[in-house]
Every structure is written in C-alpha cells, then in structure tokens.
Amino acid sequence: MENNYALYLVTDTGICPRENLLTCVEEAILGGVTMVQLREKEISSRDFYEEAAALKKITHKYQVPLIINDRLDIMLAVDADGLHIGQSDIPASVARRLIGGNKILGLSAGNLSAAQQAKLDGADYLGVGAVFPTATKQDAKFIGTETLKEIKKAVALPIVGIGGIKKENIDALYGSGIDGVAVVSAIMGSDDPRSAAVNLRACVKNF
Amino acid sequence: MENNYALYLVTDTGICPRENLLTCVEEAILGGVTMVQLREKEISSRDFYEEAAALKKITHKYQVPLIINDRLDIMLAVDADGLHIGQSDIPASVARRLIGGNKILGLSAGNLSAAQQAKLDGADYLGVGAVFPTATKQDAKFIGTETLKEIKKAVALPIVGIGGIKKENIDALYGSGIDGVAVVSAIMGSDDPRSAAVNLRACVKNF
C-alpha cells in the first residue's frame, strides 16, 4: 500500500451522518481519494471500534491507507494503517513508541516551530492548517498559504494542507510545494461525494 | 504489588472536581482503599493522559494498582496496572490481546451469563452491579445481592460488587462471598475521603 497524500479525506459525522459514512467514503475513494482519516468524537469506544473495523474493509479493498484520529486504542484494535494526533491528544513520542515504527504517524502543526517539533517527535507526515477559514473546525487558527510554503521548505516531511480547501480556492495552493490536500466538507458535505472527489482530484497536481 | 479488591475506588470528576482528584485519591488510599480505577469521559486524550500519569505516581507510592476505565490507549501510554471495560467499550478479547497477559483486565457484568462470558474473554476480575440503586450511573440495572451471590458461586474469579454501596447498606452483602466492594460516591462525594475510606474498610470483612 502506497502512502499517497494527494487527496486525503477526513470524515466528519457531523457533516455526513454515521449511517451514510461507509457509502460516502467508498464513493469518495472511487472518485480519487488516496487516504482516509476516521475522526469521531462523540461515540462509545465500542461503536468507534465497530465503525473503524467496517471502514477498514472498504479502504483495504481499494488499497487506501486508513488513519485513525486521536484514538490509538482504536487504531491498534483494528490494526489500521496509522494514527493522526493533535495537540490535545496523547504526546507524539508516546504514540510513536506504542504504535511502532511501521505505522503511519501524522501530526497536526499550525506553525513552523510546531512542524519542526513534530518531525523530531517522529511524524511521518504533517497536517498543516487551517489553510483557509473553515466552518468544520471553528477554533482552528487560519494560517494562510505563505506559512504552508515556509513549512514545506523547512521540514523534510510530506505536508498535507487542511482547512477550508475546496475546488474554488485550491489554486491558491499552487507553488506551495505541499504534497496533498485534506478535505472534510468539500467531499463529506457533498450530495455526490464521488464527483466531488473527481473534481478535486483533477485540481491536485504538483503543488 | 498485590491485587487486593477489598475496597476499590472508582473516580468520578462529576462528584469530585478534577482539581481535587489527586488529593482525594491519596486521602482515600491513606484511609484504606486497595485499588483505584480512573474513569473519565468528557476530557481530551492529552488531559486524560496527564491526569493518569500524575495519579499513577500516587497509587504506586502506596503500591495500590491503578486501573484505567475504557481507554486502553491511556492505559498503555502511562503503563497503568490494568484496564476495566464494559459493554460499550472495545471487545474484551481484543483488549486482552493488546494489553498482554500481565496486565489486569476487569470486566463489567450485570448477570450470570455475562459473567460467564467475561471469564471466557479473559477477565481477571469482574465488577458486578448495580448492587443497589445508584445516582452515579442512573442507567445501570439494579441486580440485587442474590445475583451477586449466584455469580460468585458460578464464576471462579474475584468479584467486586458495585453500585450504590455505602456504610449503611454494606451489611446486606455479607454472605454473598464477593471479594470486595467498589465505591464512587461513598468516598469521592465525601468531605473527608480518608475517614470515609476508613469507615468503609472497617465494614469490609469476609463477605
């Protein structure tokens, strides 16, 4: 399984109801999504586990890596491909020790020093944002494309831009050098996630 | 470190505010608590991790095992002594595989067949209840002391009664054969957790 960060889908059951999640993700993969992150907050551990196990069957059918947000226990329990953690999750160095060297560890970074620290902490890739203002994560700090470019230049890791990215603004990212874009609403919020993914994927070139 | 289930404290930051948690637990241990379970629901993974790490320093100072409720990731991250899971957590067999054979695995059981299944799933002890009606877990089914006795007779595991147990009703458990009592409010809700523990411990004899 290749780690292709080009079009990275982050789920949100606030946008796409839980009962539609598997269908939505499968459609998105068929449309060109290259990586999937399952993000759940208000859910029991059992339900999260069941959902992750079901989603893994789909992602693996298409050889797309499945990353679990925050919950290292769920990641281990379903043997997902990786873990994505932020500042309010367990420390990255602890996570790396517990998941081992063969799993993907993604870290969130909102500025250059956080990105540099994340590399030291053993990240395999960085989610950097919020690139544009976003309704999905209203507390996210808006960083703009210049910081994205600066981080990509300074930190030798795959960089995925996240936050408010959509077909209409993606061209602002050309020249930033990033490795891919992560989207939530632009796919999960679409009536036709497959077409949404096709359209976005067509815009994902060499940034 | 000995696994003594006699007086098993389960934390609840709804009853004892988070800023008082460490002091409250230390006082309770000084009063005679023999095992501590950290239970947190509405908290970030980072805060749960920090709290568990701080609590472990206290429990280990007194050679009292620390059990983490639900969150296997937190248990692994702080290398706690065990994990307690219920029906809405990850499956017990998966948990046992991930924590290994040397950690304590506690399971909740509300009836005889659940208790028998829990033994098959690899439990080291069972939390059985709710023995008495309880305000802490209002959705808990009240099982009464006869079921407790029946489970203790049928299942060869340490059995800890839980749910509404206090000094005033603990004598109803004599003759049940259980190995200990788990309490939340009776200690966490007291102005003087040490005295509360002393008084309860004095009632914990051979059930």
Side-chain angles (χ1 to χ4, degrees):
Chain A
M1 199 178 293
E2 190 203 358
N3 296 341
N4 178 346
Y5 297 96
L7 185 55
Y8 184 137
L9 176 67
V10 181
T11 72
D12 186 330
T13 48
I15 296 175
C16 168
R18 212 160 268 150
E19 59 268 28
N20 300 341
L21 182 73
L22 300 182
T23 311
C24 177
V25 173
E26 184 160 16
E27 286 293 305
I29 291 172
L30 290 168
V33 157
T34 58
M35 197 168 279
V36 174
Q37 180 185 135
L38 178 61
R39 185 174 186 277
E40 282 283 6
K41 292 294 176 190
E42 305 297 321
I43 191 171
S44 74
S45 294
R46 173 62 67 102
D47 289 344
F48 199 168
Y49 167 80
E50 304 282 2
E51 184 176 271
L55 190 56
K56 189 187 158 190
K57 285 187 189 158
I58 291 169
T59 57
H60 278 219
K61 181 170 151 193
Y62 299 101
Q63 297 281 302
V64 164
L66 175 64
I67 310 291
I68 305 294
N69 180 286
D70 177 9
R71 292 290 298 271
L72 190 146
D73 49 349
I74 304 298
M75 194 225 102
L76 294 175
V78 305
D79 191 30
D81 303 291
L83 178 71
H84 188 96
I85 56 182
Q87 300 303 317
S88 60
D89 303 330
I90 64 169
S93 55
V94 175
R96 173 54 86 194
R97 176 170 57 78
L98 294 173
I99 68 175
N102 292 329
K103 295 294 186 184
I104 302 167
L105 180 63
L107 299 181
S108 297
N111 57 55
L112 180 58
S113 70
Q116 286 167 325
Q117 184 58 50
K119 180 158 169 62
L120 294 175
D121 288 339
D124 290 308
Y125 77 88
L126 302 182
V128 178
V131 178
F132 302 112
T134 165
T136 308
K137 248 189 148 175
Q138 297 194 339
D139 59 339
K141 209 181 146 215
F142 167 50
I143 61 161
T145 54
E146 280 310 305
T147 305
L148 206 57
K149 196 189 271 187
E150 179 192 33
I151 289 172
K152 180 62 200 174
K153 267 193 185 160
V155 183
L157 281 177
I159 303 293
V160 182
I162 185 165
I165 298 172
K166 48 191 172 187
K167 200 159 49 78
E168 292 75 16
N169 60 23
I170 202 168
D171 58 355
L173 302 175
Y174 297 143
S176 66
I178 62 170
D179 300 274
V181 292
V183 297
V184 187
S185 318
I187 290 178
M188 299 294 288
S190 167
D191 290 338
D192 182 353
R194 190 196 296 213
S195 297
V198 167
N199 290 333
L200 278 163
R201 187 68 191 270
C203 305
V204 174
K205 298 166 187 160
N206 284 329
F207 289 103
Chain B
M1 201 179 291
E2 189 202 358
N3 296 340
N4 178 346
Y5 297 95
L7 185 55
Y8 184 136
L9 176 67
V10 181
T11 72
D12 187 329
T13 48
I15 295 174
C16 168
R18 213 160 268 151
E19 60 269 28
N20 300 340
L21 183 73
L22 300 182
T23 311
C24 177
V25 173
E26 184 160 17
E27 286 293 305
I29 291 172
L30 289 168
V33 157
T34 58
M35 197 168 280
V36 174
Q37 180 185 135
L38 178 60
R39 186 173 185 277
E40 282 284 6
K41 292 294 176 189
E42 306 297 320
I43 191 171
S44 75
S45 294
R46 172 63 67 103
D47 289 344
F48 199 168
Y49 167 80
E50 304 282 3
E51 184 176 271
L55 190 56
K56 189 186 158 190
K57 285 186 191 160
I58 291 169
T59 58
H60 278 219
K61 180 170 152 193
Y62 300 101
Q63 297 281 303
V64 164
L66 175 64
I67 310 292
I68 304 294
N69 181 285
D70 178 9
R71 293 290 297 272
L72 190 146
D73 50 349
I74 304 298
M75 194 225 103
L76 294 176
V78 304
D79 191 31
D81 303 291
L83 178 71
H84 187 96
I85 56 182
Q87 299 303 316
S88 60
D89 303 330
I90 65 169
S93 55
V94 175
R96 173 54 87 193
R97 175 171 56 78
L98 294 173
I99 68 175
N102 292 328
K103 295 293 185 184
I104 303 168
L105 180 62
L107 300 180
S108 296
N111 57 54
L112 181 58
S113 69
Q116 287 167 324
Q117 184 58 49
K119 179 157 171 61
L120 295 175
D121 288 340
D124 290 308
Y125 76 87
L126 302 182
V128 178
V131 178
F132 302 113
T134 166
T136 309
K137 248 189 148 175
Q138 296 195 340
D139 59 339
K141 209 179 147 216
F142 166 50
I143 61 160
T145 54
E146 280 310 306
T147 306
L148 205 57
K149 196 189 272 187
E150 180 191 35
I151 289 172
K152 180 60 201 174
K153 267 193 184 159
V155 183
L157 281 177
I159 303 294
V160 182
I162 186 165
I165 298 171
K166 49 192 170 186
K167 201 159 48 79
E168 292 75 15
N169 60 24
I170 202 169
D171 58 354
L173 301 175
Y174 297 142
S176 66
I178 62 170
D179 300 273
V181 292
V183 297
V184 188
S185 319
I187 290 177
M188 299 294 288
S190 168
D191 289 338
D192 181 354
R194 190 196 296 213
S195 297
V198 167
N199 290 334
L200 278 163
R201 187 68 190 270
C203 306
V204 173
K205 296 167 187 160
N206 283 328
F207 288 105

